[in-house]
Amino acid sequence: MIWKPHTTVAAIVEQQGRFLLVEEETADGIRLNQPAGHVENGESLLEAAVRETREETAYRFIPQSLLGIYHWRHPLKDITYLRFAFIGQVDDHQADLALDDGIIRALWMTADEIRAT
């Protein structure tokens, strides 16, 4: 059997001591996450990171570097994820843009606020 991980991307954005996160509905309840999602067919990793960030936060993501590549196997399901996390900046916020289904809102939080959740 051929192993096929789910390929995902994430955007890590810090501006003035705050990190861009999304509050989203998940199977485990409401959670905070980085703007992230699956790479679509024919899309580069960078294109996916830019698209997912726009869809989930209404910001344009400008990738600057690769933070890391992460491998995670779901403990209860036969699913493995391979995530490429990019560091970058955002601009061009389009506040009237509808966010992806399941995304409640985008928000900026300090590291201390994130740790406290």
Side-chain angles (χ1 to χ4, degrees):
M1 182 165 83
I2 297 174
W3 177 69
K4 293 184 180 179
H6 291 251
T7 304
T8 63
V9 293
I12 312 301
V13 179
E14 182 272 330
Q15 288 183 181
Q16 299 175 352
R18 295 187 177 277
F19 293 88
L20 178 61
L21 299 174
V22 294
E23 185 176 38
E24 62 183 332
E25 298 170 353
T26 74
D28 297 320
I30 295 174
R31 298 286 189 253
L32 293 176
N33 197 2
Q34 302 97 12
H38 288 83
V39 177
E40 294 181 358
N41 188 31
E43 189 173 50
S44 74
L45 295 171
L46 292 176
E47 289 167 341
V50 170
R51 177 187 50 77
E52 286 289 351
T53 303
R54 177 68 87 182
E55 291 175 353
E56 294 190 356
T57 70
Y59 284 96
R60 179 177 60 166
F61 180 57
I62 304 155
Q64 297 172 320
S65 61
L66 177 67
L67 174 65
I69 302 168
Y70 304 90
H71 176 267
W72 181 73
R73 181 177 162 88
H74 194 289
L76 303 176
K77 301 177 185 177
D78 187 24
I79 300 174
T80 300
Y81 294 92
L82 194 59
R83 175 168 282 191
F84 295 80
F86 295 94
I87 297 171
Q89 296 299 311
V90 292
D91 67 5
D92 188 33
H93 186 243
Q94 296 181 5
D96 58 339
L97 189 67
L99 303 180
D100 266 358
D101 287 343
I103 302 296
I104 298 167
R105 64 185 173 142
L107 64 160
W108 292 92
M109 298 177 74
T110 66
D112 287 340
E113 290 169 332
I114 295 167
R115 281 190 283 274
T117 60

